[in-house]
Amino acid sequence: MFRLSPLVKNLIIVNVLIFFTQKIVSTLPIAEYLSLWNVRTPNFRPYQLFTYMFVHSSNDFLHILFNMLALAFFGSMLEELWGTKKFLLFYIICGLGAGIFNVFSDLFFGLGRFDVMMGASGAVYGVLTAFGVTFPNMEIRLMFLFKVKAIYLVMFLGISAILMGFRNVPGDQTAHFTHLGGIVTAIIIMQVWKFRGVD
């Protein structure tokens, strides 16, 4: 039976509170301060590499809905398995890694270009990746229509992030290279843990 784990519950509360505070008190420039601005702009601050993963656009309910649902279902199982401290470390590093990955992709390769970026997607994609690696054969029902093994879902997400990132469709505001950065960061962390024998 599904149970929301303690840390995941708190992460969801923080994200939802910030989201609705933006909508209710629209005069507060929350997104302006917490979002990750391009390093070429005067609005960039290093702390934004951390705070951007807790703020979502107040005009995009589906974005926060998808992120929080994915975090609730997949993150809770990982927290139960790993423990709260390990999961928190993993989540934060994935979020930081995803943001840095996108910034570097933009600076050095002209990929994943953005003016301002927000959302928990990078950290959540890291969680999805870890879930797929940890429970590769667990079947997940997508859109209540069909089942797919977790490892195939992760592979699909990774390939989609790469293809959509390189397509660079005009008007596409999704930070696809942040998604890819979350996946890459998660894989690196898990390999390091495996090498060091971290339980």
Side-chain angles (χ1 to χ4, degrees), residues 15-90:
N15 278 272
V16 171
L17 281 176
I18 291 174
F19 178 80
F20 281 107
T21 300
Q22 289 176 259
K23 293 189 75 69
I24 296 169
V25 193
S26 56
T27 54
L28 286 177
I30 296 173
E32 180 180 339
Y33 286 107
L34 299 184
S35 301
L36 175 58
W37 289 84
N38 192 296
V39 295
R40 298 185 184 92
T41 71
N43 293 326
F44 170 76
R45 300 291 184 276
Y47 72 81
Q48 295 166 356
L49 288 165
F50 173 77
T51 58
Y52 87 96
M53 66 182 93
F54 298 101
V55 60
H56 295 75
S57 170
S58 59
N59 298 318
D60 192 353
F61 180 71
L62 289 179
H63 187 203
I64 189 172
L65 178 64
F66 168 79
N67 281 340
M68 296 304 101
L69 284 176
L71 178 59
F73 287 104
F74 301 107
S76 290
M77 292 187 68
L78 288 175
E79 184 182 348
E80 292 288 347
L81 178 68
W82 290 346
T84 298
K85 289 183 179 179
K86 183 176 178 180
F87 180 77
L88 176 61
L89 179 65
F90 178 84

Side-chain angles (χ1 to χ4, degrees), residues 44-164:
F44 170 76
R45 300 291 184 276
Y47 72 81
Q48 295 166 356
L49 288 165
F50 173 77
T51 58
Y52 87 96
M53 66 182 93
F54 298 101
V55 60
H56 295 75
S57 170
S58 59
N59 298 318
D60 192 353
F61 180 71
L62 289 179
H63 187 203
I64 189 172
L65 178 64
F66 168 79
N67 281 340
M68 296 304 101
L69 284 176
L71 178 59
F73 287 104
F74 301 107
S76 290
M77 292 187 68
L78 288 175
E79 184 182 348
E80 292 288 347
L81 178 68
W82 290 346
T84 298
K85 289 183 179 179
K86 183 176 178 180
F87 180 77
L88 176 61
L89 179 65
F90 178 84
Y91 185 85
I92 296 300
I93 293 177
C94 280
L96 291 170
I100 293 170
F101 186 92
N102 200 56
V103 167
F104 275 50
S105 296
D106 177 18
L107 279 177
F108 298 108
F109 304 105
L111 301 168
R113 295 190 174 208
F114 70 98
D115 294 318
V116 61
M117 185 170 67
M118 65 183 76
S121 299
V124 169
Y125 266 68
V127 169
L128 290 169
T129 301
F131 185 90
V133 172
T134 306
F135 306 104
N137 295 315
M138 182 175 289
E139 292 187 330
I140 301 167
R141 188 177 293 277
L142 296 178
M143 310 295 283
F144 304 103
L145 297 176
F146 58 92
K147 292 181 179 179
V148 61
K149 288 187 176 181
I151 191 64
Y152 297 142
L153 175 61
V154 169
M155 291 170 64
F156 171 77
L157 292 173
I159 293 170
S160 297
I162 294 171
L163 293 178
M164 294 300 292

